[in-house]
Structure formats: structure tokens, C-alpha cells
Amino acid sequence: MPTIIFPSPIFGPIHSRRLGVSLGINLLPSDGKLCSFDCIYCECGYNADFKAKLPIPTREEVKNALENSLKDMLENGPKPDVFTFAGNGEPTLHPQFPEIINDTIELRNKYFPDAKVSVLSNSTLIFKENVRNALMLVDNNILKLDTICMDYIKEVDRPMGKYDVDKIIDNMKKFNGHIIIQTMFMKGFSPNGINIDNTSDYYVQPWLEVVKDINPQQVMIYTIDRETPDQRLLKATHEELDRIASLIKKEGLSVSVSY
């Protein structure tokens, strides 16, 4: 089964399709996954197959490792475009996530003030006020909303606990536009043999109505780029993504597409 498990707490820099030269920050264990979703398209594999045994890095470990990396990049390059919180699961699960965001912004301002700070999150913890407040401080608050259909979410994103998409949407609106909606479009079949093509208007139109209400600063649509745990998943085509992007643009929203 293909999988990518990232080092912790710093990895890269890597070239991101969406963000440029990205220095990764992984707030989760370096030997496995820790996530509130168990997406069938996750490049890190399924949660049950890659259970972590090591602890999460401490705030101090993250800060020290980040500063050492930035000193090296300042001396030897490359210059980062962005610091990206991603890695082996959901970064906001870290109990000191808000404090680590503050540390990261402080170090960014010291070493590479032109770089952006991005967080890739599945949105499951944005009901917590301290998480929302921390995300308001970052440049790119990238939150997942693959669909508004709960049946699809249960089949594809597979939340590990209680999940209410309407409450997620309500909390997304609390960012008052300081949010980038990230949506995966793909085709194929789930492990249960269910068709998971979400590129048709059946899924796109209700999702787009909600996105309009959230009024994000940008919408990121993308498709599968790396191998997935389930081999029956397929990329959305360029034509399908372009069609969806055109619908988003017609609503006056900014959109980026990663094929």
C-alpha cells in the first residue's frame, strides 16, 4: 500500500503545486498518522495501517527545529515562499497549536518576512475558538470542504468522530472571508464499491451555493496527484476541473486549479 510519512517536526523544503517553495511543519508523530479524518485518497495511507507509536513534538522542539532550518535556508537557500502546516494528519490536533502558530509567525518575521504562513486543515476543530483565533493570524487559512453531502463525507473523508457538516459551514463563516476553501474532485469507487464521482452538478451546485455564502478569499480545487491507498480512485480530468472553475468564477470568486 503506497504511503508517504513525513519527518517531524520539519520537512522539506518541497515544491508545492499550489504554494511554491514550501517548508513543511509536521506537528504530528514522525512514524505514523494522527488524523480526525481517514480519507480514502490520503497520501499518508489509512489511519489503522500507520498507527503512530512516537509522541507528538513539543512546542519547544518545533520552534527550535524551525529556527535551525530557517538559519540554514538564510545561509544556503532556497528562500521559502511559504511555511506550511501539513504532514501526517490534522495539525490543529496538537494541543499547543495556537502557541506554535505564534512562534512560527515570530520566526517568519525574523528570518523571511516576505514568506507566507499556511495551514492545511480538514476543518474538524474549527469549532474551538482558540483554533479559529490562531487560523485568523495565518496568511493562508486553507480549510477542506469536499462536499456538503454527509453520505459522501462518510464514504470518502470518513470522519473519526462526530461530524456535522452544517456546523462546519457555520464555523467557516465566522472567519469573515479570511479562509481558502480547498476541495478534492475525483472519480472512481470507494472501498465499499460506491461511486464517488463528485464532479457532476449533483454535487457541485449545492457545494457552490454554500461556498458563495462562506465568501472565501479563494477556492482551491484539485485532484489526485500521488498514489492513494485505494487503487480504484481516478483523477478528475482537466476539462472537468476547468468546468467547475468556470462556475466558481461566474460567482465572482477567485479560484486556483491544480490538475
Side-chain angles (χ1 to χ4, degrees):
M1 180 180 294
T3 183
I4 299 173
I5 297 297
F6 294 93
S8 178
I10 304 300
F11 61 94
I14 61 175
H15 188 274
S16 166
R17 286 188 296 169
R18 289 158 282 173
L19 302 172
V21 178
S22 171
L23 184 66
I25 304 173
N26 175 27
L27 301 185
L28 304 166
S30 60
D31 65 335
K33 280 189 69 183
L34 184 61
C35 197
S36 47
F37 271 1
D38 193 17
C39 298
I40 65 174
Y41 59 78
C42 181
E43 66 186 12
C44 296
Y46 291 133
N47 295 356
D49 295 328
F50 299 96
K51 292 183 178 179
K53 297 180 177 63
L54 296 175
I56 61 175
T58 65
R59 174 187 179 182
E60 291 73 22
E61 288 171 339
V62 175
K63 184 175 183 179
N64 290 337
L66 178 58
E67 184 157 29
N68 288 336
S69 292
L70 297 182
K71 286 178 179 177
D72 180 71
M73 295 175 81
L74 191 65
E75 183 175 350
N76 301 307
K79 181 180 179 181
D81 296 310
V82 62
F83 306 158
T84 306
F85 285 83
N88 303 334
E90 174 51 39
T92 63
L93 285 171
H94 196 292
Q96 291 186 292
F97 174 75
E99 292 82 1
I100 292 172
I101 289 293
N102 287 331
D103 293 340
T104 302
I105 291 172
E106 176 187 329
L107 291 173
R108 182 275 306 272
N109 292 345
K110 179 178 179 181
Y111 291 99
F112 293 100
D114 293 334
K116 306 293 185 184
V117 177
S118 298
V119 177
L120 300 177
S121 170
N122 63 23
S123 312
T124 52
L125 272 73
I126 60 172
F127 68 91
K128 294 186 174 183
E129 186 176 9
N130 65 338
V131 170
R132 288 200 310 275
N133 289 341
L135 291 173
M136 285 295 292
L137 299 176
V138 306
D139 301 285
N140 298 316
N141 170 32
I142 305 172
L143 299 181
K144 174 168 291 298
L145 185 65
D146 284 340
T147 180
I148 65 165
C149 173
M150 274 304 304
D151 287 340
Y152 188 95
I153 291 167
K154 290 176 181 178
E155 193 68 24
V156 173
D157 296 323
R158 306 197 304 181
M160 300 299 290
K162 185 178 179 181
Y163 182 93
D164 185 330
V165 69
D166 292 326
K167 290 184 178 178
I168 294 292
I169 292 165
D170 287 342
N171 280 295
M172 285 181 166
K173 293 176 181 177
K174 293 179 181 179
F175 289 102
N176 295 318
H178 183 67
I179 174 177
I180 297 171
I181 298 291
Q182 180 193 67
T183 302
M184 166 70 82
F185 288 102
M186 62 181 182
K187 299 184 291 187
F189 294 88
S190 74
N192 295 322
I194 304 299
N195 187 320
I196 49 81
D197 182 349
N198 66 335
T199 64
S200 69
D201 281 345
Y202 177 83
Y203 288 104
V204 172
Q205 290 295 346
W207 165 85
L208 184 54
E209 288 300 312
V210 167
V211 171
K212 284 165 53 181
D213 287 341
I214 296 169
N215 193 28
Q217 66 194 67
Q218 188 182 49
V219 182
M220 286 183 172
I221 64 173
Y222 68 124
T223 191
I224 296 166
D225 183 44
R226 299 183 178 94
E227 287 193 81
T228 58
D230 193 296
Q231 299 300 302
R232 292 173 293 179
L233 306 182
L234 302 171
K235 293 170 70 76
T237 66
H238 285 212
E239 292 77 15
E240 287 163 336
L241 291 176
D242 287 342
R243 185 188 78 87
I244 296 166
S246 69
L247 295 174
I248 297 168
K249 291 176 183 176
K250 285 180 181 178
E251 300 299 337
L253 296 171
S254 173
V255 60
S256 68
V257 185
S258 297
Y259 299 102

